[in-house]
Amino acid sequence: MFNFGLSHEIYWSFNGEVGYSRLYEPGSSSVNVPKGLRQEKGAWADYQRIKGWASFTINKDEGPEIGGFKPLSDFNIYLNFWWRSGDPYTYHTAGDISTEPNNMRWFNYYQIDLNLSKGFILSGLQMEVSVDIKNLLNSKFLRLLYDDDLVRYLENPNLPDRDRLPKTYDFSEPNIWEWYSYEVPPRRIYFQLSVKF
């Protein structure tokens, strides 16, 4: 039996600051301080996300038979994935007189997870063995950079990443721990053996 599902989300957001930077209780001799010139409204940004899943199940006592034995009986495959559009950011090359905010978009992120399970009977007990793999492809995605780090990365496309990406402050070595987003963590594999009563 095969099943699947798919969904798509899109949303818009902006940030900003309003109100007071200092607000005192009634009766205080201090004066409330509005944000004044520091009030701001950020640019609109849009994000899209796609989520999906698919499963394939062979029920108990079903599946191909080999020598009177059905090796794929009570077997299940479940695949889960998500994708999202990259973060918008602002970058204008030298000579670009445009002031449009969020005119660029960072790398898209995605993750694929896989679960395999097989049920069987041992000594009269119903058991199941399964493996759960998070981030099946072991994908890695660079974090969005800012300020001089972003400029150095974008303006030196021919250099290897170790020369384009941020270095540690103390030793000027590649700061690999800070390069990648943990929104998509490294591949993890879990094994499980369960007994059903």
Side-chain angles (χ1 to χ4, degrees), residues 13-193:
S13 65
F14 71 91
N15 57 47
E17 292 185 359
V18 294
Y20 292 87
S21 60
R22 295 180 192 171
L23 189 60
Y24 299 94
E25 293 183 358
S28 171
S29 59
S30 299
V31 178
N32 296 333
V33 180
K35 288 185 177 293
L37 295 177
R38 288 185 295 162
Q39 294 185 119
E40 63 177 6
K41 176 182 176 182
W44 281 97
D46 71 287
Y47 296 88
Q48 298 188 53
R49 180 185 295 269
I50 296 174
K51 298 177 183 178
W53 62 271
S55 69
F56 178 72
T57 301
I58 300 177
N59 294 322
K60 188 175 180 181
D61 299 324
E62 293 183 357
E65 185 173 328
I66 302 175
F69 177 66
K70 296 182 178 180
L72 296 181
S73 170
D74 202 3
F75 180 70
N76 184 69
I77 301 174
Y78 182 82
L79 187 73
N80 177 67
F81 73 92
W82 61 264
W83 169 95
R84 77 161 177 86
S85 57
D87 298 313
Y89 66 95
T90 303
Y91 173 74
H92 297 283
T93 58
D96 181 359
I97 60 173
S98 169
T99 59
E100 179 187 357
N102 290 339
N103 63 322
M104 306 283 281
R105 189 171 293 277
W106 199 243
F107 303 105
N108 298 326
Y109 286 19
Y110 62 86
Q111 181 172 323
I112 300 174
D113 303 328
L114 176 67
N115 179 275
L116 304 172
S117 63
K118 172 75 172 76
F120 59 95
I121 296 177
L122 182 65
S123 300
L125 294 174
Q126 178 67 39
M127 308 185 75
E128 182 181 85
V129 62
S130 65
V131 58
D132 196 15
I133 307 173
K134 304 294 187 183
N135 191 5
L136 178 66
L137 304 179
N138 201 27
S139 305
K140 294 189 294 187
F141 300 95
L142 293 176
R143 293 182 180 187
L144 176 59
L145 302 173
Y146 296 94
D147 303 322
D148 292 341
D149 291 334
L150 178 63
V151 172
R152 182 172 56 252
Y153 181 81
L154 294 175
E155 295 185 356
N156 295 282
N158 297 323
L159 294 178
D161 280 351
R162 68 177 180 274
D163 295 328
R164 298 170 69 193
L165 293 169
K167 301 186 184 306
T168 59
Y169 292 106
D170 298 328
F171 304 105
S172 296
E173 296 176 349
N175 193 8
I176 297 174
W177 292 103
E178 293 296 322
W179 289 356
Y180 300 105
S181 169
Y182 281 89
E183 183 178 346
V184 181
R187 181 193 294 132
R188 293 159 292 157
I189 303 176
Y190 303 94
F191 295 96
Q192 178 176 299
L193 177 63

